[in-house]
Amino acid sequence: MSYFIIPKTAEMINLRKAKIDADLEDAAKLKQKVEKTLEKYNQALKKASDEAKASLQKTKDEINLTIERKQADLTIELNRQIEEGEKKIATGKKKAMENVNNAVEILVPEVMKKLGFAKVSAEVIRNAVDFEEND
């Protein structure tokens, strides 16, 4: 027994121990490999996330810049339209006042005549009722 069974059993135990040790060593190497792969994956994920954030911020900045430009253009256009409208109003007002002055020059002598007053010259009437100077 000590020559045959015990050495065979010891050899079997040693073979199994060597196999288990080799398997444990392979498992440890595999674990390190998986951890390195996981670390690379996490780094790639962080990099992708950072790039996505940077891209979103860049897009947001571009959109804000476009909005600011459009608002500035719109403000310029609105100011131009306001100025143009004010000029049209001033022109219309001037024309209306000229018409009023012309009407006064025609109507006042007639009214004065009907009321029995002496004839008043157009220049006197114009100086007395000059609406343009009394804006």
Side-chain angles (χ1 to χ4, degrees), residues 78-115:
L78 288 174
N79 287 337
R80 186 193 63 74
Q81 288 179 4
I82 288 170
E83 188 177 306
E84 189 177 297
E86 287 173 348
K87 285 179 183 176
K88 286 181 181 178
I89 289 170
T91 301
K93 181 179 176 182
K94 183 178 179 184
K95 203 179 259 189
M97 295 312 292
E98 287 173 1
N99 290 338
V100 167
N101 284 337
N102 290 338
V104 166
E105 287 179 17
I106 294 170
L107 294 176
V108 168
E110 292 296 319
V111 170
M112 299 285 281
K113 187 176 170 183
K114 292 209 181 216
L115 291 174

Side-chain angles (χ1 to χ4, degrees), residues 17-81:
K17 184 178 186 286
K19 173 81 168 129
I20 290 171
D21 288 344
D23 286 347
L24 286 174
E25 192 176 309
D26 288 345
K29 287 179 184 176
L30 186 60
K31 181 182 175 188
Q32 286 179 343
K33 194 175 186 180
V34 167
E35 285 174 350
K36 285 181 183 177
T37 303
L38 182 60
E39 186 178 324
K40 286 180 182 178
Y41 169 77
N42 285 335
Q43 288 174 350
L45 185 62
K46 185 179 182 329
K47 182 180 177 184
S49 176
D50 291 345
E51 288 174 356
K53 285 178 185 176
S55 177
L56 285 173
Q57 185 62 42
K58 181 181 176 187
T59 302
K60 182 180 174 184
D61 292 344
E62 289 172 355
I63 289 172
N64 286 338
L65 184 61
T66 301
I67 289 171
E68 288 173 9
R69 285 181 184 154
K70 296 263 184 202
Q71 285 177 333
D73 291 345
L74 181 61
T75 299
I76 290 169
E77 177 62 20
L78 288 174
N79 287 337
R80 186 193 63 74
Q81 288 179 4

